[in-house]
């Protein structure tokens, strides 16, 4: 022990020395500018570099640049510089690199912190930006900020890439990033801030489009070069004023703009409270007053100058202030006032140039003016930390009031409880913008009665559909809807299906159809219908879908009981956009034997099934949301019980009389005995008293007298079989 202790005393001064040395060597500030100019901003990057070179790094402030230009540029590809003495000093030439790879950004932070250790770090992301959702460049699958033309890649916000990069940079720095700044458009959003709350202290960004000249780098770097001891909060406040003033007939001329600094810790607190605000606002969402607020609230846009009510981004604080004016309930008003003040407190500073931005308050939120825009991007939005905390999509869904989005698919599992034939059936929660309930179906058996692998069209009466090898789930072909304007193609079974107890329809789809903007309050879309009929004349749609699902997906539907059920697929298009149509494959129909609805309209995602008789059972669950949208039926879950259940009563406990249910081999001739808990015989029933595995007991003993409230032992017995159970009578 002494040797270890003496080594420890030797080691501790070394640690203290290293710590003091590192602290002494650390600068006050290191600025990291991550410039992705491998795109249409290539020429502008040189102008901003020129502004940066008007200042110089000092012993207390270091300015490090990583810039990636077009391969055809004067200074092509990616380089790292130290800004010093009016020059850019080359630190490394990285060649052709993907700036939109989060690891590239992380590596830049690792390099900078290892060579230019600082007490505080200011990271600037310089490029095109579009807030949280779909990007300006590269097609509908690209999102976020940092567009690299050579790789055709983005750092996504909704996809979690930005959050991942910032979290890893925090690990590299071993502290929060003091300020994350965006020299990019539309990034001062709660959705973007929510992705940064765990990794940074302050976000500096613009609610509006950032003017082409970007930030006034000479001005903003001069602040900490002249005042290196500034705190992050003090510096962030100065960044807002200096940047705004530069566009108010200052160094950058005159252009409308906004800038704001957000305290991310306070934003995180507001974010965690916001779910109560979303729930509150949902009660008012689909009212004329809220609709009017949406028409008049401050908006921001990359498309319109000045912005219009059609733009997707609104000032969140302006919206809440206006919402307060229509709420008369005192408790509701108090809640919305509290969250409004909480959000205001998170805005350290904001400023703007341009009268049409007078209602900007520093932080925006996504609020599309129409349902379709929300629907198309809702699946991406679900991945955001902001949505997970705030449930903002639920408010939006109530605002539009026309939800046609299915609850997400669910899958069943089960677990046995105890030694009896008791089971929990449980399933994952369906994801939906509205509240979801569940229906659970039990089936004794099922059989495949129709199967079509879609290699021919012989099973169908056809008008316009065809066989295609372009996309197929099972080789070599699939059925195809066809494409074109004003179609009304139909594909109907040549023979009806008989389903004496109902059944299940299953098939695979891959589709891309039109779903576009409203015209006279209607969606324009090409629709694929699944329809059934009992007489081949009057068809009922069991589902319809449109939009894009470019992966093969299984669709499952419960079919009703019918002596003659006709199945029809129909594809109807309008007169405008032509999309790629619908491919479907592997069509199967099963019939059910003894189906039984064991749970309906259930909020829980589990169901307790007790004393199941020996045998095999099959279960299916279906989610249904509050707008009536029915999700796809789960796959079939099989449960096999190899032992017989103990006797039980219904009701349980009973008051006056009950039915005693028994599970036993059918070839056994049994008697049933009811005993008191002390072993006294109360009642005996013979085999002839059984009715379909059930005994009726009137609650009386052998002498015809009513028994007292108590626990009773049930013994089901023959020469070869015995089962013992307990039932209870109450007053």
């Amino acid at each position: 022990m002494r040797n270890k202790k003496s080594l420890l005393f030797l080691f501790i001064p070394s640690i203290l020395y290293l710590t003091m040395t590192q602290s002494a060597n650390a600068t006050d500030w290191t600025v990291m500018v991550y410039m992705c100019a491998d795109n249409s901003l290539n020429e502008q990057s040189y102008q901003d570099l020129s502004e940066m070179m008007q200042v110089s790094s000092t012993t207390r402030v270091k300015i490090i640049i990583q810039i990636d230009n077009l391969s055809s540029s004067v200074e092509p590809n990616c380089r790292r510089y130290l800004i010093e003495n009016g020059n850019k000093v080359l630190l490394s030439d990285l060649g052709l690199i993907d700036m939109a790879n989060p690891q590239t950004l992380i590596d830049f932070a690792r390099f900078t912190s290892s060579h230019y250790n600082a007490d505080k770090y200011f990271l600037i992301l310089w490029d095109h930006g579009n807030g949280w959702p779909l990007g300006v460049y590269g097609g509908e699958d690209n999102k976020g900020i940092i567009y690299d033309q050579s790789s055709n890649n983005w750092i996504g916000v909704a996809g979690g890439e930005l959050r991942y990069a910032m979290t890893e940079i925090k690990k590299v720095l071993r502290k929060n990033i003091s300020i994350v700044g965006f020299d990019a458009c539309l990034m001062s959003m709660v959705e973007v801030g929510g992705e940064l709350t765990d990794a940074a202290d302050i976000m500096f960004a613009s609610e509006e489009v950032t003017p082409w000249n970007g930030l006034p780098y000479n001005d903003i770097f001069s602040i900490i070069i002249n005042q290196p001891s500034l705190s992050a909060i003090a510096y962030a406040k100065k960044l807002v004023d200096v940047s705004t003033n530069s566009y108010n007939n200052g160094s950058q001329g005159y252009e409308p703009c906004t800038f704001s600094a957000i305290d991310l810790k306070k934003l995180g607190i507001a974010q965690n409270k916001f779910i109560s605000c979303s729930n509150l606002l949902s009660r008012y969402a689909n009212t004329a007053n809220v609709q009017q607020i949406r028409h008049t609230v401050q908006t921001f846009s990359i498309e319109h100058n000045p912005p219009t009510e059609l733009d997707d981004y609104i000032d969140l604080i302006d919206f809440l202030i206006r919402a307060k004016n229509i709420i008369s309930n005192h408790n509701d008003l108090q809640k919305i006032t509290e969250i409004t003040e909480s959000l205001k407190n998170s805005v350290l500073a904001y400023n703007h140039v341009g009268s049409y931005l007078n209602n900007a308050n520093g932080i925006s939120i996504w609020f599309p003016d129409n349902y379709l825009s929300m629907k198309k991007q809702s699946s991406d939005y679900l991945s955001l930390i902001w949505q997970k905390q705030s449930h903002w999509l639920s408010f939006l869904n109530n605002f539009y009031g026309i939800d046609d989005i299915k609850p997400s698919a669910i899958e069943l599992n089960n677990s046995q409880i105890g030694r009896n034939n008791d089971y929990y059936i449980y399933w994952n929660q369906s994801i939906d913008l509205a509240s979801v309930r569940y229906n659970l179906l039990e089936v004794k058996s099922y059989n495949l009665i129709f199967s079509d692998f879609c290699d021919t069209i012989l099973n169908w009466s056809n008008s316009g559909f065809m066989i295609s090898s372009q996309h197929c789930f099972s080789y070599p072909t699939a059925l195809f809807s066809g494409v074109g304007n004003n179609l009304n193609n139909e594909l109907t079974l040549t023979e009806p299906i008989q389903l004496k107890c109902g059944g299940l329809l299953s098939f695979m789809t891959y589709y891309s159809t039109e779903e576009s903007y409203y015209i006279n309050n209607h969606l324009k879309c090409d629709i694929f219908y699944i329809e059934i009929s009992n007489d081949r004349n009057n068809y009922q749609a069991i589902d319809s879908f449109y939009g894009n699902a470019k992966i093969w997906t299984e669709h499952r539907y419960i079919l009703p009981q019918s002596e003659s059920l006709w199945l029809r697929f129909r594809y109807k298009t309008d007169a405008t956009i032509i999309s790629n149509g619908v491919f479907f494959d592997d069509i199967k129909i099963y019939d059910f034997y003894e189906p039984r609805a064991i749970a309906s309209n259930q909020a829980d995602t589990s169901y307790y099934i007790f004393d199941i008789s020996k045998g095999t059972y099959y279960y299916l669950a279906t989610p249904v949301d509050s707008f009536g949208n029915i999700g796809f039926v789960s796959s079939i879950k099989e449960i096999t019980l190899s032992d017989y259940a103990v006797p039980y009563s219904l009701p349980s406990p009973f008051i006056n009389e009950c039915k005693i249910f028994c599970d036993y081999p059918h070839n056994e001739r049994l008697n049933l005995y009811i005993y008191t808990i002390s072993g006294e015989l109360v009642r005996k029933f013979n085999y002839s008293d059984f009715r379909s595995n059930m005994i009726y007991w009137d609650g009386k003993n052998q002498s015809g007298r009513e028994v007292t409230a108590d626990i009773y032992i049930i013994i089901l017995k023959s020469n070869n079989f015995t089962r013992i159970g307990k039932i209870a009578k109450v007053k």
Side-chain angles (χ1 to χ4, degrees), residues 394 397-398 403 405 407 429-438 601-603 623-629:
S394 295
N397 204 47
N398 283 291
D403 184 346
I405 302 174
Q429 184 175 8
S430 178
I431 298 172
D432 194 72
L433 305 184
S435 60
V436 178
R437 299 281 176 151
Y438 304 93
N601 198 35
Q602 173 158 317
V624 183
D625 71 18
S626 57
F627 281 83
N629 298 303

Side-chain angles (χ1 to χ4, degrees), residues 109-165:
R110 181 177 290 109
F111 168 85
T112 304
S113 64
S114 64
H115 290 81
Y116 305 98
N117 183 36
D119 293 330
K120 298 177 285 291
Y121 291 91
F122 180 18
L123 172 62
I124 299 176
L125 300 180
W126 183 105
D127 196 15
H128 289 293
N130 199 43
W132 76 269
L134 302 184
V136 184
Y137 298 93
E140 64 181 20
D141 293 331
N142 295 326
K143 312 167 184 69
I145 188 173
I146 307 297
Y147 173 66
D148 188 296
Q149 184 170 303
S150 295
S151 64
N152 194 31
N153 193 14
W154 286 75
I155 288 182
V157 177
E161 291 179 329
L162 179 66
R163 180 170 70 248
Y164 167 74

Side-chain angles (χ1 to χ4, degrees), residues 550-621:
K550 295 181 180 179
I551 57 171
W552 283 99
T553 305
E554 185 176 6
H555 300 241
R556 293 183 290 265
Y557 308 90
I558 299 293
L559 296 175
Q561 176 182 350
S562 177
E563 292 294 327
S564 179
L565 187 74
W566 297 90
L567 173 66
R568 180 172 77 178
F569 298 100
R570 185 160 60 93
Y571 186 50
K572 185 175 178 60
T573 68
D574 58 28
T576 54
I577 300 173
I578 301 174
S579 294
N580 295 328
V582 180
F583 299 84
F584 54 110
D585 207 344
D586 288 12
I587 304 167
K588 298 174 184 176
I589 299 176
Y590 303 85
D591 69 344
F592 291 155
Y593 174 66
E594 293 190 17
R596 179 171 71 100
I598 60 173
S600 298
N601 198 35
Q602 173 158 317
D604 292 339
T605 56
S606 64
Y607 188 81
Y608 180 52
I609 306 173
F610 63 93
D611 288 325
I612 314 174
S613 298
K614 180 181 179 181
T616 298
Y617 302 84
Y618 304 92
Y619 296 92
L620 308 92

